[in-house]
Amino acid sequence: MADINNLSSVYEPQLVEDKWYEFWKSNDFFAPSADYSKIPFSIVMPPPNVTGALHLGHALDNTLQDILARFKRMQGYNTLWLPGTDHAGIATQAVVEDALAQEGLTRHDLGREKFLEKVWEWKDLYGNRITSQLSLLGSSCDWTRERFTMDEGCSKAVREVFVNLYEKDLIYQGNYIINWCPRCNTAISDIEVEHEDSSGNLWHIKYFVEDAEDYIVVATTRPETMLGDTGVAVHPEDERYKDLIGKNVILPLVNRVIPIFADDYVDKDFGTGVVKVTPAHDPNDFEMGLRHNLEQIKVIDNHGIMHENAGVYQGLDRFACRKRVIEDLTEQGYLEKIEEHSHAVGHCQRCATIVEPMISKQWFVKMKPLAKPAIEKVTAGEIKFIPARFTKTYINWMENIRDWCISRQLWWGHRIPVWYCDDCGEVIVSKTDPTVCPKCNSTNLRQDEDVLDTWFSSALWPFSTLGWPEATKDLAYFYPTSVLVTGRDIIFFWVARMIFSGIEHMGEIPFADVNIHGLILDGQGRKMSKSLGNGIDPIKVIEKYGADTLRFSLITGVTPGNDIRFHWEKVEGIRNFANKIWNASRFVLMNMEDYKTINVENKLTLVDYWIISRLQETIKTVTRNLEEYDYGEAAKNLYEFIWDDFCDWYIELAKPRLFRPQDNMERLLVQNVLHDVLSDTLRILHPFMPFITEEIYQYLPSHNRTIMLDKWPIADDEKIWTDFVDDMQDIMQVVRGIRNIRAEFNINPGAKIEAILIIKDAAKREIFTQNSSYIESLANLASLYIEDALDTKPKQAVSAHTHLVEIYIPLEGVIDIEKEISRLEKDFKNAENDLTKATNKLKNEKFLAKAPPEVIAKEKGKAEEAKLKKEGIEKRLQILKN
RNA sequence: GGGUCGUUAACUCAGCGGAAGAGUGCUUCCCCGACACGGAAGAAGUCAUUGGUUCAAAUCCAAUACGACCCACCA
C-alpha cells in the first residue's frame, strides 16, 4: 500500500478496481465455504445472452444482486450468487447467420452439423465477454459454479423435464394456429409477439349470395387472407342477416362456394357485422372453423409468400398480394369502400417482422394444470413480489394463460428428445438417445428436427444450475433460492415459468421473494435501443467514472419498481460523492499516525455523542431498507449521513480538536471516534460501492483481510442519545444563524468577529457554554459571550433569533437600521405565522379530542418555540425603533 | 377494451396521513492545514384538476385531464 500522505486528492477508480476484484476472486471470497452449518442465502443470476454485451439493464440488475449478496455475506449468511449465461436460441442463431451472410452463405449451405460447430465457436469466442464485463461491475458471484443453459447438466435437466411432462400428458404435439415469423422461419410463442398499433385500412368487400342478386359486405384488414376463406360469419341475433344464415356466398376472385353461418363471437356493431372466416390464418377464425367444421386452407407459406392454394397469386409476397387483391377486387367491382382503421399488428420480438398466424404442427405445453398451483403459491403469499403491485400482473397473466408453443424451427438450442420410427411410425420420447424402435425393433429412427424455445431451459435455471436432476448437496442446501432479482419485462417470459417449473419438478417454489426493478431509460424517458442509437455503454461509464459511481448512480433516488432515466449529470454528482468519501477518508487517515485504540466511554463530548447517534440511526435505516429491497432509500441515507453529518459537521469540528487539542487525550479521543465511525460507514457502504470501500478499508489502522468478509455493523439503540442530538441541533441552528448574518452583511469569511448569545434557560445556557468552542470555530468567531440577559442591548448590532437563543453580532460603523428592521420584520412574520398555525390547531377541540397525545405535545412545543422566537424579535424591534 | 405507473422548485427525482425535501442549475461570497469533483449563505413550489374521507391530506378514496408502459382474438 502506498503512503497515505502521497495519495492523490482525486479518487482514481481506474487504479484500484481491477486489483481488488482480482484479489477477491483469487482468494475465493465469492465461493461459499463448505460450512453448511451456517444459514444459506442464494440467488441465481438471470443469465444474460451468451453472445451479448453488458447493457445498463444488466448493470442495474447485477448491481442489485451484488448489493444483496455482499450485504448478506457480511451479515454472516453462507452466500451463493450463481452466475451463468443463456444460449438465447433465436438471438444467437441470428448473429451467427448474419456473420455467415457476410460471406454470402446461409446456414443451409453449411448444413446443420457444420452450422452448430460455428455457433459453438462463436460462443467460445464471445461467450466470456459478458462475464468479464460483469466482473468490471464488481459482481461477487461464484464463478466456480458458473453455468450455461446448454451445458451438459442443463441439457440433462431439459430432457428430464420434457419426458416427465410428456408422460404426464402435459406436453403434446398438434396442428394448431400459431404465430409464425416469416423472417426467422420459425414458430414463436404468444408472448414473443409484440403488438403495435398501426394505421391501416378496413376494406369492405362484397360477397355475393349464391343464386341471388343479393350480396353481403365483409370488412377486413387483411384482404389477402380472403383467398383462404372457407366461411362467412354473422351474429345469430343480427336481424339484418338472419335470413341469410345457412345460405352460401361465392368467394370473389376465387369463386369458391362457402357457407354463411352464425356465431356468438361476431360483434354486430363492428364493421359490417359480417366476418370473413379464414381458419388457417387467424386464431379466432381457427376456433370458429373448429366449431363449424370448416375447411382449413393455407394460402401463405413459411416465407410469407403466397402458397399454391392462392391460385393466380401464388409466388407473390403476402403484402404484394394484398395490393393485387385490392386492385382486382376494385376492377371487378367487389370493393365497396375503404375505411381508415388503426389496429394492433403483431411483430416478431426478435426481428420486428410482421407475424403471420398460421396452422402448423408444433409441440405445446398444456398450461392450465401447471398454472393452478403457480397461482396458489403466490396468492397464499409463499412467493412474494416486491413491489407487491407486480403480483397482480403475474396473477392476471397466469389466469388467462394459453398453451405454450415450445418448438422452434431453429438449429441452435435443445433438440426435442423425440424420435420417429420410419418403419412403424412409432413416436419415441426418451431421456437417452434410442437406437432401436421399441415397437418394431427398426433402427430407422429419425429425431425431431426442431429445438425447444430458449425459455424452456431458462425456466429450470434455479434447480438445473444446482445439479438437478442429480440429488446434489448444493441442490439440497441452496434450493429454494432466497430471492430472484429481475426486470419487470421478463415476468412472463421467465419468472412465471420458473415458478410453475419449480413447483412441478422440485415440488417446491424456486424462490421466496421476487424483487422486480424497472427499466433504464434515456434522458428523455425513451427505451434504449439500437435503432434509436440512444444506448449508453456501461463499460464506458465504468472506464470514465468507475464501477462504484455507476452502481450508485443507478440506484440512488429511485423508487422500487419504477423506471430510471439515465443522466450523465447524475453520474457526475455521484462521482463527486465518491471523491468526497475518498477525501474525507484521506483526512481521517492522514491524522492517524499516532493513533491507538482507547476506551472512549465517559470521555465523549456532545459532538461525539451526536455523530455516533447519527451513525447508529444510519446503520439501522440502511439495514432495514436493504431487508425491504429499498435500495434507493438506503443509498440516500448513506449519502446524507456521509456528506452532511460526517463531512460538513463532524470533520470540521474535529479539526481544532486534532490540531490544537486541550490535552493529548482529546486528540486521541477524536482519532478514535473518527476511526470507528469511518470504519462502520465503510462497511455499510461496501455493498453499494465495493471498490472504494475496500481500498480505504485496507488503509485503516485496524482492518482484517478484506472488508467484504468483515462484519455488518449492528445498530446499538443505547448509542442513540436523543438529548445530545437535540442539543446539537440547537447549536447547529445558532451556527447557521451567525453564518447567515455574516453572509448577509458581507463580512469577510476570514474576519474573526464577536458574537453574543442570550439564553434564558439555565440548563441550555450551560450546554452552550460547554460547547462554545465548537460554535467559535464553526462560525469563525474571535470571541463568544453567553449571557442570561443583556442590560444594555447594543443598537449597533444585528440579531438573529431561535426559540432558545438571541444572537447579537455587534458591528463596527453604521448599520442600516431600516434594513435591519425590515429583515427582522420578515422573521417576525414567519414566527407569527408558525404561532397562529399551531395555536389554531390547539384551539380546535376536535383536534385535542382525537389526535394522538404525542402529536398534541409536538404541536404545543411548536407553539412554545414560535412564541419565544416571536417575543425575542419583538423586543429587538422595539429597541431598534426607539 | 382491461390493467399498471407517473403528474411535487427551472431540470431530474425523493417523500406517500401530523410543520414542503435532495441533486443539478441559478444568485452572493470564499482556494480557511480532506476535497473547487470543494465550503458558506440564499432565491425558488396553490405538491395536475375537482370532489370526498379525516381533528389533520402532497400523502387515503373517487372521478377528470395529460403523459408513459403492459396485457387483450373486434374481423
Side-chain angles (χ1 to χ4, degrees):
Chain A
M1 299 289 284
D3 179 353
I4 188 70
N5 294 303
N6 294 335
L7 292 180
S8 162
S9 66
V10 171
Y11 174 58
E12 292 165 289
Q14 299 79 5
L15 301 181
V16 307
E17 294 192 346
D18 291 351
K19 171 184 73 181
W20 292 122
Y21 196 83
E22 190 46 41
F23 169 69
W24 298 326
K25 193 177 162 185
S26 60
N27 281 291
D28 277 338
F29 294 158
F30 301 154
S33 65
D35 180 4
Y36 291 105
S37 65
K38 288 201 280 182
I39 304 169
F41 179 85
S42 54
I43 302 181
V44 289
M45 177 189 293
N49 179 349
V50 67
T51 64
L54 194 79
H55 57 66
L56 280 175
H58 293 124
L60 171 67
D61 197 46
N62 286 284
T63 294
L64 301 185
Q65 291 172 70
D66 195 44
I67 288 170
L68 292 177
R70 287 180 186 272
F71 168 56
K72 291 290 175 179
R73 203 180 281 119
M74 288 177 79
Q75 280 192 324
Y77 291 89
N78 200 10
T79 299
L80 170 65
W81 179 20
L82 195 151
T85 46
D86 194 294
H87 68 280
I90 303 185
T92 307
Q93 175 162 327
V95 171
V96 179
E97 283 187 302
D98 283 351
L100 280 179
Q102 304 272 307
E103 305 168 38
L105 295 171
T106 70
R107 70 178 205 255
H108 300 284
D109 294 329
L110 270 71
R112 187 165 190 147
E113 211 167 307
K114 275 267 176 318
F115 177 76
L116 285 177
E117 273 174 33
K118 275 260 181 234
V119 186
W120 278 105
E121 272 172 33
W122 190 277
K123 187 248 166 200
D124 292 339
L125 203 58
Y126 294 104
N128 290 328
R129 182 172 55 168
I130 187 104
T131 51
S132 65
Q133 290 180 328
L134 285 171
S135 303
L136 294 178
L137 233 203
S139 310
S140 65
C141 44
D142 181 1
W143 295 111
T144 67
R145 285 182 170 88
E146 183 184 352
R147 297 299 298 269
F148 174 52
T149 49
M150 268 176 56
D151 66 23
E152 209 189 315
C154 288
S155 303
K156 205 171 161 192
V158 163
R159 280 209 179 181
E160 183 82 17
V161 164
F162 189 98
V163 174
N164 285 352
L165 290 177
Y166 181 83
E167 283 170 356
K168 288 179 192 160
D169 255 346
L170 290 172
I171 279 184
Y172 63 92
Q173 188 183 33
N175 272 300
Y176 295 94
I177 195 123
I178 48 91
N179 305 290
W180 184 269
C181 175
R183 201 221 58 103
C184 298
N185 248 295
T186 178
I188 55 179
S189 67
D190 293 344
I191 47 176
E192 284 168 288
V193 179
E194 288 179 348
H195 294 273
E196 202 184 318
D197 265 350
S198 71
S199 52
N201 289 317
L202 198 54
W203 283 277
H204 290 62
I205 307 168
K206 298 175 190 168
Y207 281 24
F208 280 88
V209 180
E210 192 185 26
D211 302 327
E213 296 288 296
D214 227 3
Y215 62 83
I216 57 175
V217 178
V218 303
T220 180
T221 54
R222 296 192 302 153
E224 71 281 9
T225 62
M226 70 172 286
L227 303 172
D229 283 2
T230 53
V232 165
V234 297
H235 193 272
E237 263 118 57
D238 194 332
E239 294 301 329
R240 292 173 293 178
Y241 307 114
K242 231 168 180 170
D243 296 342
L244 292 172
I245 297 168
K247 295 193 174 168
N248 294 323
V249 291
I250 299 170
L251 186 61
L253 307 181
V254 182
N255 293 326
R256 185 159 53 233
V257 175
I258 56 176
I260 301 171
F261 62 91
D263 195 287
D264 283 335
Y265 162 76
V266 179
D267 179 352
K268 285 188 285 191
D269 301 323
F270 185 86
T272 58
V274 186
V275 184
K276 59 185 269 318
V277 181
T278 322
H281 289 290
D282 183 280
N284 302 310
D285 295 3
F286 176 78
E287 295 294 331
M288 280 196 279
L290 290 184
R291 284 199 288 274
H292 299 275
N293 236 335
L294 301 180
E295 197 186 344
Q296 302 165 341
I297 300 177
K298 206 164 159 174
V299 291
I300 304 171
D301 75 6
N302 288 352
H303 296 88
I305 306 294
M306 299 315 288
H307 193 265
E308 57 183 18
N309 293 338
V312 296
Y313 301 95
Q314 181 184 357
L316 281 176
D317 173 80
R318 53 190 167 144
F319 298 113
C321 176
R322 178 176 299 176
K323 262 179 93 176
R324 275 283 287 284
V325 165
I326 296 300
E327 281 166 17
D328 291 351
L329 286 171
T330 313
E331 224 168 80
Q332 296 174 34
Y334 289 112
L335 193 70
E336 195 187 59
K337 64 170 174 175
I338 307 173
E339 249 179 0
E340 294 209 348
H341 178 66
S342 114
H343 63 130
V345 177
H347 295 76
C348 171
Q349 183 197 38
R350 193 50 60 185
C351 71
T353 302
I354 293 178
V355 162
E356 197 60 46
M358 56 172 71
I359 287 181
S360 180
K361 192 178 190 185
Q362 302 286 346
W363 288 93
F364 299 85
V365 173
K366 207 179 279 178
M367 285 309 305
K368 289 278 179 225
L370 292 167
K372 195 168 172 271
I375 292 168
E376 285 165 3
K377 294 285 182 191
V378 172
T379 47
E382 282 183 54
I383 298 174
K384 230 172 50 207
F385 279 80
I386 301 119
R389 67 182 132 96
F390 292 105
T391 314
K392 205 168 166 182
T393 312
Y394 167 86
I395 299 279
N396 281 347
W397 187 72
M398 273 297 204
E399 281 176 345
N400 298 300
I401 201 162
R402 298 162 76 192
D403 287 354
W404 176 16
C405 174
I406 51 169
S407 42
R408 297 289 178 276
Q409 289 62 53
L410 305 171
W411 288 352
W412 176 242
H414 299 278
R415 189 118 173 224
I416 292 179
V418 174
W419 287 261
Y420 308 97
C421 175
D422 278 341
D423 289 329
C424 72
E426 176 73 354
V427 175
I428 306 146
V429 178
S430 167
K431 290 174 195 170
T432 53
D433 294 12
T435 47
V436 291
C437 174
K439 196 172 164 195
C440 72
N441 280 326
S442 159
T443 53
N444 262 337
L445 301 181
R446 191 170 39 82
Q447 184 170 8
D448 196 300
E449 293 292 323
D450 293 348
V451 300
L452 289 163
D453 181 0
T454 207
W455 296 102
F456 192 90
S457 55
S458 326
L460 320 179
W461 195 242
F463 47 95
S464 64
T465 52
L466 291 170
W468 191 87
E470 309 301 326
T472 61
K473 261 184 164 172
D474 271 3
L475 188 65
Y477 183 65
F478 288 115
Y479 191 94
T481 62
S482 311
V483 53
L484 178 86
V485 180
T486 197
R488 60 171 170 74
D489 50 335
I490 53 173
I491 294 178
F492 305 144
F493 282 104
W494 196 44
V495 181
R497 286 163 176 171
M498 279 192 288
I499 292 176
F500 70 68
S501 300
I503 296 168
E504 175 68 20
H505 305 292
M506 290 296 297
E508 220 178 335
I509 55 170
F511 29 70
D513 289 355
V514 182
N515 180 206
I516 301 288
H517 61 250
L519 272 32
I520 310 265
L521 309 173
D522 74 1
Q524 279 111 65
R526 302 170 303 179
K527 264 191 197 173
M528 290 188 179
S529 72
K530 273 188 193 140
S531 54
L532 277 174
N534 59 348
I536 304 274
D537 181 358
I539 301 305
K540 293 252 163 65
V541 184
I542 291 173
E543 279 168 1
K544 189 158 178 212
Y545 294 101
D548 290 333
T549 290
L550 173 62
R551 293 164 62 116
F552 212 84
S553 313
L554 291 179
I555 60 155
T556 189
V558 171
T559 315
N562 282 14
D563 289 349
I564 301 154
R565 289 195 195 187
F566 182 89
H567 287 106
W568 286 104
E569 293 82 357
K570 187 172 182 185
V571 177
E572 279 179 14
I574 302 303
R575 184 268 320 266
N576 296 351
F577 176 54
N579 197 240
K580 190 78 181 175
I581 296 161
W582 176 249
N583 279 294
S585 305
R586 224 163 46 89
F587 171 82
V588 174
L589 296 167
M590 281 177 348
N591 289 292
M592 282 289 144
E593 67 273 15
D594 54 340
Y595 163 87
K596 61 174 190 258
T597 313
I598 57 163
N599 183 0
V600 297
E601 258 175 74
N602 306 321
K603 300 186 189 69
L604 300 172
T605 71
L606 175 67
V607 290
D608 305 316
Y609 284 122
W610 169 74
I611 195 69
I612 292 168
S613 303
R614 286 289 302 122
L615 172 68
Q616 301 311 310
E617 286 169 355
T618 307
I619 293 171
K620 232 174 150 168
T621 323
V622 169
T623 307
R624 196 189 54 236
N625 288 333
L626 283 182
E627 275 158 2
E628 290 168 357
Y629 305 102
D630 194 345
Y631 314 89
E633 196 59 19
K636 196 179 106 186
N637 275 288
L638 280 162
Y639 185 98
E640 285 169 356
F641 172 72
I642 292 170
W643 202 311
D644 301 344
D645 296 332
F646 189 59
C647 294
D648 287 349
W649 290 94
Y650 192 77
I651 286 185
E652 288 313 314
L653 285 166
K655 285 175 183 174
R657 303 168 76 197
L658 283 171
F659 301 145
R660 294 172 296 280
Q662 288 172 344
D663 51 42
N664 200 36
M665 187 46 82
E666 183 173 32
R667 181 173 159 88
L668 219 44
L669 171 72
V670 175
Q671 286 175 324
N672 271 267
V673 176
L674 280 171
H675 173 275
D676 296 351
V677 172
L678 178 62
S679 168
D680 273 4
T681 304
L682 288 174
R683 283 183 283 156
I684 54 175
L685 184 63
H686 178 255
F688 304 84
M689 295 188 149
F691 294 109
I692 192 173
T693 48
E694 181 75 280
E695 174 72 11
I696 299 164
Y697 175 87
Q698 298 285 342
Y699 284 105
L700 286 181
S702 71
H703 67 84
N704 294 317
R705 198 158 165 224
T706 170
I707 191 170
M708 67 169 284
L709 299 180
D710 208 332
K711 285 200 173 55
W712 184 261
I714 294 169
D716 183 350
D717 276 332
E718 291 188 2
K719 288 186 178 168
I720 301 178
W721 295 278
T722 49
D723 287 352
F724 289 126
V725 172
D726 289 348
D727 291 342
M728 183 65 190
Q729 260 151 18
D730 291 336
I731 286 175
M732 288 160 104
Q733 231 179 60
V734 169
V735 170
R736 286 197 193 99
I738 301 172
R739 283 171 170 175
N740 172 283
I741 290 172
R742 294 187 68 120
E744 273 193 47
F745 288 85
N746 279 326
I747 298 168
N748 187 312
K752 293 204 173 231
I753 57 168
E754 185 179 288
I756 304 156
L757 306 182
I758 309 299
I759 305 169
K760 295 216 175 63
D761 185 297
K764 290 286 178 188
R765 195 164 59 244
E766 178 60 23
I767 289 162
F768 272 74
T769 309
Q770 274 169 14
N771 294 289
S772 61
S773 66
Y774 296 136
I775 302 170
E776 281 168 15
S777 79
L778 289 171
N780 197 24
L781 301 176
S783 48
L784 176 65
Y785 303 97
I786 301 173
E787 313 284 348
D788 58 345
L790 210 56
D791 300 336
T792 52
K793 288 177 183 163
K795 201 156 189 177
Q796 290 298 322
V798 283
S799 67
H801 305 259
T802 76
H803 65 280
L804 287 175
V805 184
E806 291 171 34
I807 305 161
Y808 294 95
I809 311 283
L811 286 181
E812 293 288 325
V814 200
I815 39 162
D816 186 339
I817 302 271
E818 289 308 312
K819 190 184 155 197
E820 179 64 2
I821 287 173
S822 76
R823 202 177 68 91
L824 285 171
E825 275 174 342
K826 202 178 134 202
D827 277 357
F828 181 79
K829 200 144 208 175
N830 285 336
E832 203 173 34
N833 280 345
D834 288 349
L835 182 59
T836 32
K837 237 191 209 165
T839 37
N840 279 347
K841 266 194 179 177
L842 289 166
K843 274 193 288 192
N844 186 338
E845 278 172 33
K846 282 182 179 169
F847 173 74
L848 293 172
K850 296 198 173 176
E854 64 269 21
V855 174
I856 296 172
K858 206 174 160 191
E859 213 58 39
K860 279 183 179 156
K862 280 195 286 191
E864 185 63 16
E865 284 184 13
K867 195 174 147 233
L868 290 171
K869 191 171 168 184
K870 192 188 134 190
E871 284 169 1
I873 301 170
E874 207 164 21
K875 268 188 245 158
R876 179 62 185 165
L877 278 169
Q878 271 169 18
I879 292 166
L880 287 178
K881 282 175 178 168
N882 288 326

